[in-house]
Each structure stands twice: as structure tokens, then as C-alpha cells.
Amino acid sequence: MLKPTANSGERLYITVARRLEQAIEAGIYPVGSRLPAERDLSERLGVSRPVIREALIVLEIRGSIMVRPNGGTVVASRDQRSGAALAMQADAGPFEVTEARRLLEGEVAALAATLVEDDQFEELEETVRLMDNPALDAQARERADRAFHMALARITGNDVLVSMVESLWDMRYNSALCVYFFQQAREHGIEPPVDQHRLIIDTLRARDPEAARAAMREHLTKVTESLLIATEEDARERERLRVTERGSDFARRARTGT
């Protein structure tokens, strides 16, 4: 199969999903057969594993494939397919959104560290207390997570930055693919990490912009890695990812700063 080239206005994971569905229709992957492993598909198509993961989830939602726990991904028969439209072109994927947040919010944190006033810490601390409150449900703690990042953006006093941070959070909630990934994360017990948010506050108290930038970027890098772990079907692979995964383009760029 050729490396995919995204059509104008079409996201890469949709292009990959189309290529895989075409291969299924052509009999390259017959009904009942297992698809190659994500790592193999990534190498064959020349795209990152997160893009493959997103494409496979689209095909799973469509009913073209079935994921069997510890049994791989198999091609579904025609009568098992839902026929749902393969059209999520407007949806940003979770890895794109999180990478954009890492780049933007790292700079927001650095700027905030030079501008923060003592009376602005209470709002940040309150959001962290909510995130750390086991009596609240996961969605309430997630709202507190958003409130933390929005409060941090407001410290900059720059309405454009505030709007950009808010827009990226809205993408997370409005994209069906993002919603799916973060729901999977919640089901696997992955929640907003309180210690990482407290570290960001500590860097603000120190008025250290470099440390604030690094703390925010590290936090959002771990979000990317958590999404890979949460959507991994194979339990052994999930555990390996939990310990060692740095192999995706998004995670690698997050780790190297490139």
C-alpha cells in the first residue's frame, strides 16, 4: 500500500481509515482475518502509531473491524457493519489537540510565571483541591482540570491567549474522536494528575518561567502517553507502554522539544 496523502480538508487519520477500508473491500484483508499490528501498519503506511490508532477506532465505530481483547483486530463481515458515515474530517484528533496545547500552554505558563500575583494562587489551588477530591465524580474533576488551565491563561492578561486555550479545550469536547479517547482514559482510571498541577503552581510561586514551561510541557506529554496506554487493547502491550512508550511522533516531539 502506498503512503497516504491527505486530501484537501481531510485529516490524515481519515485518509488512513479510507485506505484500510479500501484494502478490506479489495480482499487484501479478508473477513475474519486479523489486521497487521499497529506497529507494522505504521511502518507500511509511513504514519505514526497514534494516527493508526485513530484510524482503527474510526473503523471500529463504523463496524468495519472488531477488536477482540488480546485477540487482535479482525475484519468484520458485511452484515456486521453499521454503515456509519466515514466522515469525521472536521474533528481534530486527541494527539493533535494535546500537542497544540503543549506548545501553547507551555508558553502561557512561562508568561504567567512572570506576571502572577499572590492573590491569584487561591483560584489555582482551589481547582487542584477539586481535582483531588475523591467524593467528586470524574467529570467534575475534569471540569476542575479545565478551570485550572483557564485560570492560568487569565493570569497572562492576554485575552487572545485565553481564547486560544479555551478553543483547544472546546475541540477536546466537540470532537467525537477526542471524546472517545478521553472516555477510554477515564474508564482505565486515568484522571487529571494532581501532583503535576501542583508542580506547575510551585514553579509559578518561584516566578521561574523556564521551570513553568517545562512543567506544563511535561504534564501534557504525559497526557499523550496516557491516551496511548488507555486505548491499547492488548494487556501486555498496555503494560509495556505504561513503562517504556516513547515511540509515537507526538510523544517523541514532546520529549525532544522538536
Side-chain angles (χ1 to χ4, degrees):
M1 298 173 68
L2 298 175
K3 293 182 180 181
T5 300
N7 298 329
S8 175
E10 183 170 85
R11 295 189 179 278
L12 185 55
Y13 73 85
I14 291 292
T15 302
V16 171
R18 290 188 191 282
R19 290 294 183 90
L20 290 174
E21 192 159 65
Q22 288 167 4
I24 290 170
E25 292 296 329
I28 296 173
Y29 303 125
V31 170
S33 68
R34 290 180 57 172
L35 290 183
E38 286 181 9
R39 198 176 300 276
D40 293 336
L41 288 173
S42 173
E43 292 174 359
R44 293 183 192 185
L45 295 172
V47 298
S48 67
R49 285 189 69 189
V51 171
I52 296 296
R53 183 76 53 84
E54 290 169 340
L56 291 178
I57 285 173
V58 168
L59 292 181
E60 184 181 2
I61 292 170
R62 181 170 165 78
S64 298
I65 61 175
M66 298 182 296
V67 178
R68 294 176 176 169
N70 300 320
T73 302
V74 299
V75 177
S77 62
R78 284 187 175 275
D79 60 3
Q80 291 174 305
R81 300 175 195 178
S82 67
L86 185 61
M88 291 187 179
Q89 292 93 325
D91 282 358
F95 299 105
E96 285 183 303
V97 171
T98 306
E99 181 175 57
R101 286 188 58 207
R102 184 181 69 85
L103 295 173
L104 174 63
E105 294 193 50
E107 297 310 309
V108 166
L111 180 58
T114 69
L115 298 172
V116 64
E117 301 287 346
D118 288 343
D119 61 0
Q120 292 175 306
F121 283 105
E122 177 55 35
E123 183 178 7
L124 294 172
E125 295 281 5
E126 175 59 22
T127 62
V128 172
R129 284 193 289 270
L130 291 172
M131 277 186 264
D132 199 29
N133 185 349
L136 298 179
D137 62 27
Q139 290 184 334
R141 291 196 293 274
E142 188 173 287
R143 288 194 294 271
D145 186 10
R146 175 181 174 134
F148 175 93
H149 290 271
M150 292 306 304
L152 186 62
R154 286 193 295 272
I155 290 171
T156 68
N158 186 317
D159 288 343
V160 174
L161 289 176
V162 173
S163 178
M164 291 172 71
V165 170
E166 185 175 35
S167 176
L168 287 171
W169 273 91
D170 287 345
M171 285 184 189
R172 171 172 163 170
Y173 292 120
N174 294 334
S175 161
L177 199 58
C178 284
V179 169
Y180 178 92
F181 269 78
F182 282 100
Q183 177 63 34
Q184 289 295 304
R186 285 193 296 273
E187 290 179 2
H188 282 84
I190 298 173
E191 297 180 352
V194 174
D195 58 337
Q196 293 171 25
H197 289 83
R198 284 182 175 145
L199 178 59
I200 292 168
I201 292 176
D202 289 343
T203 66
L204 296 182
R205 289 193 186 280
R207 271 67 176 184
D208 187 338
E210 293 299 327
R213 178 186 295 111
M216 180 62 77
R217 287 189 170 189
E218 175 68 10
H219 162 49
L220 291 169
T221 295
K222 288 182 177 179
V223 171
T224 295
E225 293 166 355
S226 293
L227 291 175
L228 286 168
I229 292 167
T231 54
E232 176 57 58
E233 293 294 334
D234 186 284
R236 290 171 299 180
E237 178 69 0
R238 186 185 306 122
E239 187 58 31
R240 188 190 71 79
L241 287 170
R242 195 180 301 278
V243 175
T244 66
E245 177 60 54
R246 298 292 184 272
S248 78
D249 287 352
F250 292 100
R252 185 181 302 111
R253 290 200 293 262
R255 286 289 170 192
T256 62
T258 58

